[in-house]
Amino acid sequence: MESDLRIVSYNLREHLAIGELTALVDAHAMDVLCLQECDSTDIPDEINGLTLAASTKTNRLGLALYYSEERFELLGTSLFALMKSMHDRVMAPAHERLLAARLRDRQTGHELIVADFHAAPLTASNSLRRKQIGLAHEKLNELADGVPTVMVGDFNYPWFRQGLRRHLLKTGYELSITEEPTYARSGFRGHFDFATTMGMQIASVLSLPQGKSDHRPILLLASVAAVGV
């Protein structure tokens, strides 16, 4: 048995797009919403049927993950700090760059890990971001213990994506990228917002219309095999 899963990831650009979330949830009927660059002191506990699972607390601008409590039982959440870039050490914008939730589908009984990720900015090297992605996957594998896993967010990786894809395939993860760019600012356009999955089949990843953020939200539609029914 399979279950369709709808996940939206959105970088709010220093919390500027916080006012768009109610309309976003209404328009796209998602099961999980993952946010980056949100102010955890100014986010709601509930957004039109989605419940806040957890958010980062030590970051000035961090991560938040919402889920459908009607569809899923929340089994637990975990926060992780990943290796720091020079930007992190000087500006201290982020400490925890990975937020994961373990969910159980109330109808099918299957479990999965959904993770929200924000890589180091472009001032860091692709090599460091690859290490952050790899470390994030290691942490998720420890949590997942074999259940399907998806990580969405701002990967800050607009160049050499095919090399990243090949690198991830060696570890069992599939990289999914939208056809249209997910970032536009000051004349620059690129793909920044991705999804990596293990144990899932990806139907599509779409760039949604741009709002106040310099990032466009992305919508991931995946199929997950039910287990443990």
Side-chain angles (χ1 to χ4, degrees):
M1 185 175 181
E2 291 189 340
S3 173
D4 287 334
L5 179 68
R6 295 171 65 89
I7 300 175
V8 167
S9 173
Y10 193 16
N11 182 317
L12 300 184
R13 188 187 175 187
E14 298 187 354
H15 205 61
L16 287 177
I18 185 64
E20 301 171 7
L21 298 183
T22 297
L24 186 69
V25 173
D26 281 346
H28 298 288
M30 65 204 69
D31 300 299
V32 180
L33 172 63
C34 294
L35 304 176
Q36 304 91 45
E37 291 196 20
C38 65
D39 180 352
S40 63
T41 66
D42 185 36
I43 56 174
D45 292 330
E46 189 269 345
I47 306 173
N48 284 18
L50 297 183
T51 301
L52 179 65
S55 63
T56 53
K57 305 300 182 184
T58 62
N59 301 1
R60 178 178 63 86
L61 293 168
L63 309 172
L65 189 151
Y66 291 81
Y67 71 104
S68 169
E69 199 168 17
E70 179 179 357
R71 176 171 180 179
F72 292 110
E73 175 187 0
L74 178 64
L75 301 181
T77 61
S78 301
L79 284 165
F80 299 98
L82 304 177
M83 61 182 60
K84 293 183 178 182
S85 67
M86 183 60 67
H87 180 83
D88 292 335
R89 297 181 189 281
V90 174
M91 303 300 292
H95 175 61
E96 297 152 325
R97 289 191 173 273
L98 179 67
L99 167 59
R102 191 180 187 102
L103 304 172
R104 178 187 289 132
D105 192 301
R106 296 184 186 276
Q107 291 189 339
T108 68
H110 79 257
E111 295 182 12
L112 71 156
I113 299 290
V114 181
D116 188 4
F117 172 73
H118 192 182
L122 292 183
T123 50
S125 65
N126 269 0
S127 175
L128 184 136
R129 280 185 289 274
R130 281 197 304 273
K131 291 177 182 178
Q132 288 182 328
I133 295 166
L135 181 58
H137 286 162
E138 290 178 12
K139 299 294 186 183
L140 296 179
N141 289 344
E142 294 173 3
L143 291 176
D145 194 24
V147 306
T149 302
V150 54
M151 183 172 82
V152 297
D154 179 3
F155 284 64
N156 276 316
Y157 212 105
W159 303 290
F160 309 111
R161 293 187 301 275
Q162 290 307 314
L164 176 62
R165 187 190 301 277
R166 290 191 296 269
H167 175 74
L168 292 180
L169 285 174
K170 295 177 183 178
T171 69
Y173 276 87
E174 179 181 353
L175 178 67
S176 296
I177 302 172
T178 61
E179 290 188 6
E180 297 182 0
T182 67
Y183 179 90
R185 187 177 183 183
S186 301
F188 175 76
R189 293 164 60 85
H191 291 78
F192 281 61
D193 306 272
F194 309 153
T196 59
T197 54
M198 179 182 286
M200 296 185 181
Q201 291 192 351
I202 306 303
S204 62
V205 188
L206 303 173
S207 296
L208 301 179
Q210 188 160 5
K212 291 184 178 181
S213 176
D214 46 6
H215 290 255
R216 294 170 64 175
I218 64 170
L219 170 63
L220 171 73
L221 180 61
S223 296
V224 185
V227 296
V229 178

